[in-house]
Amino acid sequence: MATTHTLETPEADIVYDVHGPAPAESPRPPLLMVGQPMTADGFSTLASYFPDRTVVTYDPRGLGRSVRKDGREDHVPAVQAEDIHAVIEALGAGAVEVFGSSGGAVAALALVTAHPGDVSTLVAHEPPLVESLPDAAAAERAGRAMRDAYQAKGFGAGMAAFIVMTSWPGEFTDAYFAQPPADPAQFGMPAEDDGRRDDPLLTDRSLPVTTYRLDVEALVAAPTRIVIAVGEESREVFTGRTAVGTAERLGQEATVFPSHHGGFLGGEFGYAGQPEAFAKKLREVLEG
């Protein structure tokens, strides 16, 4: 069972769900599962493997059920961090544990930077931080090409370019940029253009996520135990490489988790991972 709550702030109404026992009845602190652009429903399978404890999922402002009132469209990690901080304060249970996925991992790192007392343990799974790559300039170029494809031809072309970019093994070399434009049909994507240009993944709206600059000094000094996680199947591609690079910047080795970038997903999104094995590993790391 889950209860849904709305936290009203001047800039956004943040909707979050509390699964399992109440925080006072949980054997461990609340576990927040944070994504971006993924919303709360993306963690439904993973949350089901933690029925013994309080699990909190939320929709970032401007995504899913969380309505913006600030007149903006960009997704900024530092702004999202303040929303998560507000949710933690509303829970009233003290420091929490956080599992952050992709852009949510970046927001969680921003949270620890701004409010280190909020989080006892953070597991940041494959934060897509371009600055952590040795080929950062080439990665930025690949990202621009993906966004250009979306602006020129719509969702199918943009998503096909995104899949090619994020599945490319190793550094973005001349061979990568010499490829012909990605074919949407190859990935089961629609070729027709629906005219929309508001996808948070394929536009500049999420550029503040990939270009976020870590405050390494603040993170190392924080009381939070930070674990950077990487999928065993995705270590050589974009988000796996950014995870490894981020871990190195923090003076650690990335902790290997089962499956890929979406390794905690069930089959409901067509990109199934190994959620049971993933949840087991997450539990071991949190309790370690």
Side-chain angles (χ1 to χ4, degrees), residues 18-171:
V18 180
H19 307 255
E25 301 169 356
S26 179
R28 292 185 64 84
L31 169 59
L32 271 65
M33 297 181 178
V34 181
Q36 198 284 320
M38 179 176 283
T39 53
D41 56 358
F43 295 105
S44 57
T45 297
L46 182 60
S48 71
Y49 288 100
F50 293 87
D52 55 314
R53 60 180 298 182
T54 306
V55 174
V56 180
T57 57
Y58 99 119
D59 292 353
R61 66 167 63 190
L63 298 171
R65 302 161 295 171
S66 292
V67 178
R68 300 187 83 142
K69 299 180 289 190
D70 59 0
R72 296 173 59 169
E73 295 180 335
D74 54 348
H75 302 288
V76 180
V79 173
Q80 294 179 348
E82 294 305 316
D83 292 338
I84 302 169
H85 171 67
V87 170
I88 292 170
E89 286 198 320
L91 292 172
V96 302
E97 296 178 330
V98 177
F99 170 72
S101 166
S102 195
V106 180
L109 288 164
L111 171 66
V112 172
T113 301
H115 303 282
D118 278 5
V119 184
S120 56
T121 298
L122 164 61
V123 179
H125 185 251
E126 300 201 353
L129 295 171
V130 170
E131 70 166 2
S132 68
L133 296 175
D135 57 325
E140 290 175 355
R141 178 185 171 191
R144 285 195 302 271
M146 177 268 293
R147 294 189 295 275
D148 289 346
Y150 177 59
Q151 292 299 325
K153 297 184 178 180
F155 177 80
M159 184 55 71
F162 173 79
I163 294 171
V164 169
M165 174 185 170
T166 55
S167 60
W168 179 262
E171 297 189 8

Side-chain angles (χ1 to χ4, degrees), residues 258-269:
S259 198
H260 46 60
H261 187 64
F264 53 89
L265 295 173
E268 63 269 38
F269 298 101

Side-chain angles (χ1 to χ4, degrees), residues 139-228:
E140 290 175 355
R141 178 185 171 191
R144 285 195 302 271
M146 177 268 293
R147 294 189 295 275
D148 289 346
Y150 177 59
Q151 292 299 325
K153 297 184 178 180
F155 177 80
M159 184 55 71
F162 173 79
I163 294 171
V164 169
M165 174 185 170
T166 55
S167 60
W168 179 262
E171 297 189 8
F172 294 104
T173 60
D174 290 343
Y176 174 83
F177 295 106
Q179 297 178 105
D183 179 7
Q186 180 181 352
F187 304 103
M189 300 293 170
E192 64 275 8
D193 185 350
D194 63 6
R196 297 183 61 179
R197 297 295 186 273
D198 58 354
D199 189 284
L201 189 65
L202 304 176
T203 61
D204 286 347
R205 296 181 182 188
S206 291
L207 194 57
V209 175
T210 56
T211 59
Y212 177 79
R213 303 191 72 82
L214 285 182
D215 187 335
V216 174
E217 184 177 346
L219 292 170
V220 171
T224 306
R225 180 170 70 103
I226 299 173
V227 178
I228 306 298

